[in-house]
Amino acid sequence: MVNVHSVNHTTYRRVTETFGNSLPVLPKESYICDAGCSWGCTTFELRDLYPNNKIIGFDIDPSNIRGNNLGLDLRCADMFDFFRETDLRFAGIFAMNNVWIGHNEGIVSDNQVKELFTDMKRRLVLGGAIAVSYVSFFKIYYPDSKIEYNSGHFNADNSSFTRLLVDS
């Protein structure tokens, strides 16, 4: 494991702590996306967890991207525009909290989330997965095989949100 600066050490293991033994097995030598990467701590961890993949992170806030001093491929983009417009194909797409928060706070509608998940699925390589999480739950979905893994505390809001991923 790479020695991580103490400032970001508390969030460096966020992916591992969220997904634990359920960390997605992803096709190698493809891109992996950290959607809504903030300043790149999760992107940095993904780079270590998937050393045979190229990791790209993006965030809508340009100040997060400008602060990147970890040697990461971080881009400034709106999530909806990015997945609609990119030509890249991904082995995995990680959305840690951000999509659910926007939906839960009423900023993003069910239809917008379904459209986003549809665009994400179109950008996956064969065997790729989408992993979404929030504080108390996660879902990993492999669209090609229709396999899904759930973990954590599922209430009505979490269940209806994650159904949008499968039903999109």
Side-chain angles (χ1 to χ4, degrees), residues 59-131:
D59 197 274
I60 196 167
D61 185 348
S63 65
N64 287 333
I65 305 308
R66 277 195 303 272
N68 172 28
N69 62 357
L70 301 172
L72 301 170
D73 184 352
L74 301 183
R75 303 166 185 203
C76 187
D78 174 81
M79 189 175 306
F80 295 92
D81 293 341
F82 180 83
F83 287 110
R84 188 179 313 112
E85 297 170 2
T86 187
D87 291 330
L88 297 174
R89 306 275 295 180
F90 299 97
I93 298 171
F94 287 80
M96 307 285 289
N97 300 336
N98 43 24
V99 178
W100 193 92
I101 291 171
H103 181 261
N104 191 45
E105 293 180 358
I107 298 167
V108 180
S109 70
D110 282 0
N111 286 339
Q112 288 173 303
V113 171
K114 284 176 90 167
E115 181 180 317
L116 175 64
F117 286 149
T118 298
D119 288 337
M120 285 179 169
K121 288 177 187 178
R122 280 189 227 146
R123 300 294 175 230
L124 290 175
V125 299
L126 185 64
I130 298 171

